[in-house]
Amino acid sequence: MKISKKDALMWFEFFSQLPEDEELSPKQEEIVYATLAQIEAAVEYRNALLMSEIKNLKTLDNRTYFVGNENKFPKGCRSCLLGTGLGAIRKTNKCNLNCKFCYNYGQIEYMPPIGEGLWEIGGTKFYERDIDLLLSIQSKPTGVAYVYLEPFIEIEKYYPIIKKFRKANIHQHLYTNGTLATEETLRALGEAGLNEIRFNLGASNCSDKVIENIGIAKEYIESVGIETPMTPEFYETFLKKKKAILDTKLDFINCAELHLNENNIYNYYGENMYIYRGGYISPIWSRELTLKLMKIADEENWDLVVHDCSNYTKFARGLNLGSKEGKWFGASNYASEFSRIPYEVFLPILKDDNFKFLIEEELPHGYKIGELFI
């Protein structure tokens, strides 16, 4: 059904007032899904218009979009979208910053440690001495990524394990906010064999120190880029410091569509949000800003890649991983971050007179307020 915004708003105001443990009837669930589909369709239409303005828009086997020098497309992303997946390796359970977009917002001090001398790989804990055993038994991944908060808090612990995976000829990339990096530690990472490093430049609001560290990293590490959730704050500050950032000669900018979970979503309450394929919830401006930045990069012919790491990309990533894991046709790990739909976060977009549904129809008999109850 093509529910109208007016009817959708009335119903979502009702749903948002229900007790969390109260279940909806099948007809009410139809109304929920119809509303979310209407919002999603309008958002995708807006994004399609923005994409149509990017003259040299490219795809990676239709799994994601980017502009720029294809040779600089990050190999870590190729592994994620075409290879065996992300291959997450976890160690550090602390961070020196407190970003409102962080998935662990408000929970940092409660993050459990991995364990003394241990590394978490694929949900299993290993000592460094176990890596040779792991590599001798299981098929090598196309790439691995060092994730989980801020590794430079204890970066010296990473060098030996990076050397292990380098010896096995496995592509490795690492995420950091960059504020604790030094020339000494960046050089050590390069010497250990790290292939790729990604700076979350938005975490420091494009700090001059981090921009400098990006330039230093280029001297020692093969592939250097930015990966940060695309927010209005980052977009605005990036454009102000664009010359200094591009002068670092970085290779790529991964513009991550900000998706929210129960920890950080209320930091953005009041923003217009949508849900993609029943999974990730995002402010609609996040991908719009990415596409606007891609247009600028394309028109100005930046010598790097600007990558649209959107919810669509994450959806494709899940399908690729399911395929590589030998799961059944259509299987994916792409899913919602919420145990129940947070109806209240969609009220602002339903109240926004400037946000229009593409098509609206009258609700069928039995679906209108007053006709349908639990």
Side-chain angles (χ1 to χ4, degrees):
M1 68 182 78
K2 303 295 184 183
I3 190 172
S4 69
K5 271 187 69 184
K6 179 181 177 181
D7 287 332
L9 175 59
M10 286 192 292
W11 271 114
F12 266 58
E13 286 179 330
F14 170 73
F15 295 145
S16 66
Q17 295 171 15
L18 293 176
E20 288 191 9
D21 59 351
E22 188 162 335
E23 296 185 2
L24 303 186
S25 70
K27 282 190 174 182
Q28 288 175 323
E29 288 185 324
E30 285 184 63
I31 290 169
V32 170
Y33 295 138
T35 298
L36 297 178
Q38 285 281 73
I39 296 172
E40 184 179 6
V43 169
E44 293 205 318
Y45 177 78
R46 290 158 61 111
N47 288 339
L49 291 177
L50 290 171
M51 293 172 79
S52 70
E53 297 175 359
I54 304 172
K55 183 178 179 181
N56 296 300
L57 188 65
K58 303 173 184 178
T59 76
L60 185 71
D61 286 6
N62 293 317
R63 301 182 188 196
T64 195
Y65 296 91
F66 67 97
V67 296
N69 185 344
E70 190 168 346
N71 293 327
K72 294 188 176 184
F73 192 91
K75 292 181 181 178
C77 293
R78 289 185 183 274
S79 174
C80 195
L81 292 166
L82 301 173
T84 57
L86 183 65
I89 298 179
R90 298 187 172 197
K91 176 64 178 174
T92 306
N93 69 320
K94 298 178 177 65
C95 190
N96 61 313
L97 299 181
N98 186 33
C99 305
K100 73 174 187 177
F101 53 69
C102 180
Y103 304 134
N104 299 306
Y105 182 84
Q107 301 296 316
I108 299 292
E109 61 184 292
Y110 306 111
M111 301 305 292
I114 299 302
E116 184 64 29
L118 290 167
W119 299 78
E120 184 181 287
I121 306 173
T124 302
K125 294 185 178 182
F126 297 85
Y127 287 109
E128 181 190 325
R129 60 181 179 271
D130 298 324
I131 301 303
D132 291 334
L133 176 66
L134 170 62
L135 291 170
S136 71
I137 294 175
Q138 295 192 350
S139 299
K140 291 195 302 184
T142 54
V144 294
Y146 298 94
V147 300
Y148 206 41
L149 305 180
E150 181 45 54
F152 276 85
I153 286 176
E154 50 183 1
I155 197 63
E156 69 285 347
K157 295 180 180 179
Y158 286 71
Y159 307 147
I161 200 163
I162 289 173
K163 290 179 181 177
K164 287 266 189 187
F165 284 103
R166 177 66 169 185
K167 186 178 179 181
N169 199 31
I170 295 171
H171 185 87
Q172 304 174 79
H173 70 269
L174 178 143
Y175 296 88
T176 176
N177 62 47
T179 59
L180 301 178
T182 65
E183 181 164 4
E184 180 184 2
T185 54
L186 291 168
R187 183 193 302 115
L189 285 172
E191 291 173 349
L194 185 70
N195 305 99
E196 182 181 315
I197 188 167
R198 304 180 178 192
F199 290 85
N200 187 336
L201 192 56
S204 63
N205 198 27
C206 300
S207 154
D208 292 340
K209 177 183 178 182
V210 177
I211 294 171
E212 181 183 358
N213 282 336
I214 292 172
I216 293 171
K218 272 299 296 176
E219 298 179 28
Y220 302 108
I221 298 171
E222 175 188 355
S223 182
V224 177
I226 293 167
E227 179 164 329
T228 196
M230 186 56 73
T231 65
E233 297 87 353
F234 173 72
Y235 182 80
E236 179 182 354
T237 310
F238 179 95
L239 291 181
K240 289 179 180 177
K241 297 188 176 185
K242 180 181 70 173
K243 184 180 185 305
I245 294 168
L246 297 182
D247 283 348
T248 65
K249 307 301 181 184
L250 76 167
D251 299 290
F252 61 88
I253 303 172
N254 281 349
C255 301
E257 184 170 6
L258 173 62
H259 73 266
L260 305 170
N261 63 14
E262 292 179 348
N263 294 329
N264 61 7
I265 192 166
Y266 291 103
N267 292 336
Y268 295 92
Y269 185 77
E271 303 289 351
N272 285 354
M273 298 190 194
Y274 83 112
I275 187 167
Y276 185 83
R277 300 294 188 273
Y280 291 170
I281 295 176
S282 298
I284 68 171
W285 41 249
S286 189
R287 194 179 187 201
E288 289 179 350
L289 292 173
T290 291
L291 297 172
K292 289 177 181 178
L293 188 68
M294 291 171 74
K295 181 183 178 184
I296 295 171
D298 184 49
E299 291 175 346
E300 297 182 356
N301 197 29
W302 297 357
D303 185 24
L304 47 71
V305 160
V306 181
H307 176 206
D308 173 27
C309 190
S310 65
N311 291 339
Y312 171 85
T313 302
K314 304 301 191 342
F315 184 65
R317 177 186 69 183
L319 290 173
N320 175 64
L321 181 61
S323 172
K324 294 300 190 296
E325 291 179 340
K327 291 183 177 178
W328 56 89
F329 182 70
S332 169
N333 64 355
Y334 176 82
S336 174
E337 302 274 4
F338 296 85
S339 57
R340 63 179 290 276
I341 295 172
Y343 303 106
E344 66 278 8
V345 305
F346 298 103
L347 296 179
I349 198 168
L350 294 173
K351 292 178 180 178
D352 184 354
D353 293 336
N354 294 317
F355 184 86
K356 308 292 185 183
F357 285 0
L358 302 181
I359 302 172
E360 294 189 357
E361 298 173 353
E362 186 176 352
L363 283 173
H365 178 71
Y367 287 83
K368 298 176 182 178
I369 292 284
E371 296 177 346
L372 179 60
F373 295 95
I374 294 178

